[in-house]
Amino acid sequence: MNKLSKQQNSVSTISTLANTTSKEISLYNAYVTDKRLKDFSTKEDLLLMNSLIVRWATYVGIETPEATEINMLANFIKEHFSTFNGYDIKECINLLANQTLDTDAEHYGKLSPIYVSKVLRAYQEHRNTIVFKVRDSIQKLKEAEIVPISDKERISNFKQLLAIAKKENLQGLTYIDAGDSLYNFIKFNKLMPITKDNIDQQLIDEAMEYGNKLYLADKKKKVTQTIIKNESFKKVANMQFEKLDIIRKYAREFVVNRFLLNLDLADILQKINMEMLKY
């Protein structure tokens, strides 16, 4: 039986995925779970990096660098390939020694930063290809294992969602329509005048005004937080690029809450059927 490890989507055994080698699975597991070079800080980490650099020189048949050169290379690799882990360096060396890594890098008798960088970039492409392949296979396996929800269960879940939304509305709260579930339901079933063939311009204008008001409040809040925390204004700048999307999201929220305000919950719960949920 196919199984996926629950820890960070790690693959447990070779039988987990079809058309995937044990090497590919090991590389993916290391990518998901192993300590990144950027987090190397202990004496053991340093010894591991140094030993891998010595191994690299030995495997490609060149003289072992001096201690100062080893430290320099270790720092160079850690800085420029910070998302790698110990397994990556070890596997890169093995592929290089087996002449199966797609690179034309020449060492000319020395482990120079230029040579090391060229080799590791070639390995990075190799690793990315495998990670994407395994990740895609995992996703397909998960999708195949998903049991489709029954119509009866879907209707029941949506009725519960409506009841919760109406309850929050009655309490004077603004219902947050995550994923636009209720808005899409309202629009699909033409329960509010927001479609092209039946539109209430006043409602649309009110909704957009509401959206703009909340957008400005959010922006002001982010500016204040940025100043207090002495952070970059990048998030504030990003809000400007996303302005219309944010306003429209709040406008849809306005429409949903206006709908809930006038909703006869008991009546709609009696009427809901599967056809109404095919949006």
Side-chain angles (χ1 to χ4, degrees):
M1 179 179 179
N2 287 336
K3 291 183 179 180
L4 294 177
S5 169
K6 292 183 179 179
Q7 183 177 1
Q8 301 187 54
N9 293 331
S10 170
V11 186
S12 54
T13 64
I14 184 62
S15 62
T16 301
L17 299 172
N19 303 317
T20 307
T21 68
S22 58
K23 276 281 187 183
E24 290 172 335
I25 291 176
S26 295
L27 187 151
Y28 179 81
N29 279 339
Y31 173 82
V32 172
T33 63
D34 283 13
K35 189 176 185 179
R36 308 284 189 186
L37 297 187
K38 64 181 179 182
D39 298 318
F40 274 26
S41 59
T42 67
K43 181 179 179 181
E44 289 73 19
D45 293 335
L46 178 62
L47 289 173
L48 174 60
M49 276 298 294
N50 288 354
S51 67
L52 288 172
I53 291 170
V54 171
R55 174 187 289 199
W56 191 331
T58 303
Y59 275 39
V60 297
I62 59 179
E63 187 177 342
T64 301
E66 297 291 334
T68 55
E69 293 178 314
I70 291 176
N71 288 333
M72 180 270 293
L73 286 171
N75 289 330
F76 174 82
I77 294 170
K78 182 179 175 182
E79 179 181 354
H80 295 281
F81 298 90
S82 58
T83 62
F84 279 20
N85 53 60
Y87 181 94
D88 286 323
I89 305 300
K90 192 181 301 181
E91 180 63 10
C92 177
I93 295 168
N94 289 336
L95 292 172
L96 196 61
N98 293 330
Q99 298 185 345
T100 52
L101 184 65
D102 186 15
T103 179
D104 59 356
E106 294 286 349
H107 54 70
Y108 300 111
K110 184 177 181 180
L111 288 183
S112 67
I114 293 176
Y115 162 72
V116 167
S117 178
K118 196 169 184 178
V119 170
L120 291 180
R121 290 194 185 284
Y123 174 79
Q124 191 169 36
E125 290 186 19
H126 167 79
R127 184 189 70 164
N128 288 347
T129 299
I130 291 176
V131 168
F132 290 143
K133 173 187 174 182
V134 176
R135 186 182 288 160
D136 184 59
S137 297
I138 290 173
Q139 184 61 35
K140 288 178 180 177
L141 183 58
K142 284 184 175 180
E143 290 172 356
E145 292 177 347
I146 294 174
V147 178
I149 187 171
S150 68
D151 290 353
K152 182 178 179 181
E153 189 175 358
R154 186 175 177 190
I155 291 171
S156 175
N157 290 344
F158 194 80
K159 285 182 176 181
Q160 291 178 43
L161 176 67
L162 265 179
I164 292 170
K166 180 63 178 178
K167 182 179 179 181
E168 289 190 10
N169 186 265
L170 288 173
Q171 293 173 340
L173 303 173
T174 298
Y175 177 71
I176 307 301
D177 185 27
D180 292 330
S181 297
L182 283 188
Y183 179 83
N184 291 330
F185 169 76
I186 293 166
K187 186 176 181 180
F188 178 75
N189 293 289
K190 299 181 178 180
L191 301 175
M192 290 283 281
I194 55 175
T195 56
K196 289 183 179 180
D197 56 344
N198 178 29
I199 191 165
D200 181 340
Q201 192 57 49
Q202 183 178 346
L203 173 64
I204 300 301
D205 291 343
E206 287 181 30
M208 292 299 287
E209 183 180 350
Y210 171 86
N212 188 60
K213 181 180 178 181
L214 291 192
Y215 164 79
L216 292 175
D218 282 354
K219 186 177 180 181
K220 183 177 180 181
K221 183 178 179 180
K222 275 193 169 58
V223 169
T224 302
Q225 290 176 341
T226 299
I227 294 172
I228 292 174
K229 296 180 180 179
N230 195 26
E231 296 176 336
S232 168
F233 274 83
K234 184 178 180 181
K235 290 183 180 179
V236 178
N238 288 342
M239 280 192 72
Q240 186 63 35
F241 290 115
E242 300 165 0
K243 179 179 179 179
L244 188 56
D245 288 337
I246 296 172
I247 290 175
R248 285 175 173 170
K249 171 60 181 173
Y250 282 133
R252 293 193 294 272
E253 184 179 285
F254 177 90
V255 171
V256 167
N257 281 273
R258 178 67 64 84
F259 167 76
L260 292 171
L261 186 65
N262 302 308
L263 176 66
D264 183 334
L265 183 61
D267 179 61
I268 199 168
L269 290 181
Q270 289 292 327
K271 294 178 179 177
I272 288 180
N273 56 55
M274 197 56 213
E275 289 302 315
M276 298 176 73
L277 301 181
K278 291 183 176 179
Y279 53 86

